[in-house]
Amino acid sequence: MQQQFGHNDQKSTSGVTLGQYATNLGVFADEVENAGGTPILVTPLTRRTFSGGKVVENLANETAKTLEVAKTKSLHSIDLNKASTAYVNAIGSAEADKYNLASGDRTHLNERGGVVFSRIVSDLLVAGYPSELKDVTKPDAALSALIKAGKPY
């Protein structure tokens, strides 16, 4: 039986416990390895919701579980939640809202947001696993510099 999970698992109405979330990650990683691939666990992208001038870190439990599963199973992982939270805090709510798919939608990304956060993922992957990924990714030094400087794109 194929299992499926995603960002809506965080909701209390999803019926998915944090333990099941971790189990699902482990099962998916095993399936990737059994198919001959290298699983890379990526923590959730921040939801870009602000309170008191800072991002509400409402995915801390899922982030911790993702990193725990990666460590327990000796898997590759990157902390997109930490990096995206830091970036969004640096640019602020008004600029972060420019990456929303629709007004008030702080979960889904528009094309511009996809470019920015994909760049963060790529940069994290290359930084974490340069010997495996540097030669198969396309750098964008200008965008990477903007992100590193905490400037909007």
Side-chain angles (χ1 to χ4, degrees):
M1 179 172 98
Q2 180 67 35
Q3 298 180 24
Q4 183 173 338
F5 67 105
H7 66 268
N8 286 325
D9 288 351
Q10 178 202 25
K11 296 178 180 177
S12 61
T13 58
S14 73
V16 177
T17 67
L18 203 53
Q20 289 168 322
Y21 176 84
T23 298
N24 287 345
L25 279 173
V27 168
F28 282 169
D30 291 345
E31 289 175 352
V32 169
E33 286 180 328
N34 291 337
T38 302
I40 302 172
L41 299 189
V42 180
T43 63
L45 174 68
T46 182
R47 287 194 186 265
R48 303 178 315 281
T49 300
F50 282 74
S51 178
K54 292 289 182 190
V55 172
V56 175
E57 296 189 39
N58 55 6
L59 291 163
N61 292 333
E62 290 76 9
T63 294
K65 279 296 180 190
T66 301
L67 295 173
E68 179 184 308
V69 170
K71 183 177 180 179
T72 300
K73 296 179 80 57
S74 299
L75 301 172
H76 287 10
S77 66
I78 59 171
D79 196 345
L80 176 60
N81 189 265
K82 180 179 178 180
S84 62
T85 297
Y87 176 67
V88 170
N89 275 330
I91 64 171
S93 180
E95 289 296 331
D97 280 349
K98 293 178 182 177
Y99 301 140
N100 295 347
L101 181 61
S103 179
D105 179 352
R106 294 185 173 92
T107 297
H108 304 97
L109 300 168
N110 61 25
E111 186 174 339
R112 186 178 205 89
V115 168
V116 169
F117 294 105
S118 294
R119 173 53 37 200
I120 292 174
V121 168
S122 181
D123 290 349
L124 288 170
L125 288 169
V126 170
Y129 308 98
S131 64
E132 297 172 67
L133 298 171
K134 185 176 182 184
D135 293 337
V136 295
T137 59
K138 183 178 178 181
D140 184 336
L143 181 52
S144 294
L146 276 177
I147 293 166
K148 188 175 182 178
K151 304 289 182 193
Y153 170 68

